[in-house]
Amino acid sequence: MTDNALDRLVTLFSKLPGIGKKSAARIAYHILDSNPALAASLAKELSGLHQAIRRCGVCGGFTEADPCFVCSNPARDKSIICVVESAQDMRIIEEGREFSGVYHVLGGLIAPLEGVSPADLSISKLINRLGSVNEIILALNPTVEGDTTALFLQKTLKDYPVEISRLASGMPVGGNIGYTDKLTLSRSFRGRVKV
C-alpha cells in the first residue's frame, strides 16, 4: 500500500488523543465524502489556531482576548480560585455552570517518572494571585499524579491565609457498586456526607 494523502491524514488524526486508526480513518473518509468547503474550513481554522488563541495572562486558560472572558468578568467571584490541570478542565467545569469563581491552570501535574516537577507548573504564578483570595479549590484528577500535586499544593500554601478544598470524588450518580473499582469505592466511603 502506498503512502498517499489519505494515509497521511489518517496518520495525523490518529496522533490526536482518544483517536485510534479506525476513528481516524472514519474522520478522514467523512471529510472526503463531505462538501470540499468543510475541508477548506477545517484547514483554515487549524492553520490560524496558534495565531488566534493564546494563554490568558491571568489564569493560563486559552483565549482570543487577554484577559479571558472569565478573568475579565466583573460578576465572577475573584476570592475563589479553582485550580485545574489544563485549560480543557477549565472548559469542562464552565460547561457545568456550577462554579462562579475564577481559575488557575497549572499546565500539568507533578509526575517525576515523566520528568515533570513542581518547577514545570505555574505554581509561583498561583501564589502571586493569593492577595485577596479566600479559597483555593483543587479540581485535580484523582490519580497518583493528581494526588501528588494536590498534596504538594496543600503543603506549599499552608502558611497562606487561604482555605484549601478539593473536589469530592467517589461513586458517580447512576453508578453501580458492582462495577466500581476499589479506589473509587474507598474514596466514596471516606467522602460520605450525612443525610
Side-chain angles (χ1 to χ4, degrees):
M1 193 160 156
T2 62
D3 185 32
N4 59 34
L6 180 59
D7 295 332
R8 291 190 301 272
L9 185 60
V10 169
T11 299
L12 283 171
F13 281 141
S14 66
K15 290 181 180 181
L16 297 172
I19 298 180
K21 277 278 197 201
K22 287 184 180 181
S23 294
R26 270 195 301 275
I27 293 168
Y29 279 104
H30 176 78
I31 291 170
L32 276 174
D33 286 336
S34 298
N35 186 321
L38 173 64
S41 181
L42 274 170
K44 180 182 174 193
E45 290 299 325
L46 283 172
S47 68
L49 188 63
H50 286 284
Q51 288 78 32
I53 305 292
R54 58 188 163 278
R55 294 247 180 222
C56 173
V58 179
C59 72
F62 289 125
T63 183
E64 286 190 66
D66 193 7
C68 71
F69 72 96
V70 173
C71 293
S72 61
N73 184 343
R76 300 301 288 234
D77 184 352
K78 295 185 175 44
S79 70
I80 304 173
I81 296 178
C82 180
V83 177
V84 295
E85 174 187 352
S86 69
Q88 182 179 2
D89 295 337
M90 176 179 161
R91 183 181 182 125
I92 290 167
I93 293 171
E94 274 300 286
E95 288 172 356
R97 302 185 190 278
E98 287 292 321
F99 181 65
S100 61
V102 292
Y103 296 91
H104 186 81
V105 178
L106 289 175
L109 296 173
I110 298 170
L113 296 177
E114 296 172 26
V116 181
S117 72
D120 297 316
L121 308 179
S122 65
I123 294 171
S124 59
K125 198 170 184 178
L126 173 64
I127 292 170
N128 291 337
R129 295 180 65 189
L130 294 180
S132 59
V133 174
N134 297 327
E135 182 182 5
I136 298 283
I137 300 170
L138 302 177
L140 305 174
N141 290 322
T143 60
V144 172
E145 295 82 3
D147 291 346
T148 301
T149 306
L151 185 60
F152 181 84
L153 288 171
Q154 288 170 325
K155 288 180 179 179
T156 302
L157 302 174
K158 70 178 170 40
D159 295 330
Y160 291 90
V162 62
E163 181 181 318
I164 301 171
S165 61
R166 185 139 187 219
L167 289 185
S169 61
M171 292 281 297
V173 173
N176 183 317
I177 291 175
Y179 297 108
T180 304
D181 63 275
K182 291 177 185 176
L183 180 60
T184 301
L185 198 54
S186 171
R187 287 179 181 209
S188 296
F189 274 101
R190 281 182 288 166
R192 66 188 183 276
V193 293
K194 293 193 183 290
V195 292

